[in-house]
């Protein structure tokens, strides 16, 4: 005589909760990725601004040295 073993199916509520949990984890990961991307974009903008300020300062330094050389010559005796 063979016995028939009944396998209980997984309740649909558990499957729904599992799917909702996976979707929540994906949403959290997407949010973190977006935040990191925004941070990297801000860093890139800051680097560009820093480089621009540096070159403005170098140009001003050159302009000042040219002005000093041309206009502040010692008076002949």
């Amino acid at each position: 005589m063979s016995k028939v073993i009944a396998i209980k199916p997984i309740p649909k509520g558990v499957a729904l909760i599992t799917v909702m949990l996976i979707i929540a984890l994906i949403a959290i990961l997407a949010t973190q990725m977006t935040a990191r991307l925004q941070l990297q974009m801000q860093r890139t903008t800051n680097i560009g601004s820093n480089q621009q300020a540096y070159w403005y300062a170098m140009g001003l330094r050159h302009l000042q040295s040219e002005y000093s050389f041309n206009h502040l010559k010692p008076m002949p005796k």
Side-chain angles (χ1 to χ4, degrees):
M1 217 160 128
S2 66
K3 290 185 176 181
V4 177
I5 301 174
I7 300 175
K8 293 183 180 180
I10 298 175
K12 290 184 181 180
V14 173
L16 180 62
I17 290 174
T18 303
V19 169
M20 289 175 64
L21 179 64
I22 290 171
I23 290 173
L25 290 174
I26 290 171
I28 290 170
L29 290 174
T31 304
Q32 281 186 337
M33 289 171 58
T34 302
R36 287 183 183 177
L37 178 62
Q38 287 177 344
L39 180 64
Q40 289 297 328
M41 289 172 56
Q42 186 62 44
R43 284 181 181 168
T44 302
T45 302
N46 289 346
I47 289 170
S49 297
N50 189 11
Q51 286 293 317
Q52 184 179 12
Y54 172 78
W55 287 112
Y56 276 143
M58 290 295 105
L60 188 60
R61 181 178 173 194
H62 177 73
L63 185 64
Q64 181 268 335
S65 67
E66 288 291 319
Y67 179 82
S68 297
F69 182 73
N70 291 331
H71 296 296
L72 300 177
K73 293 182 181 177
M75 302 279 271
K77 291 186 178 183

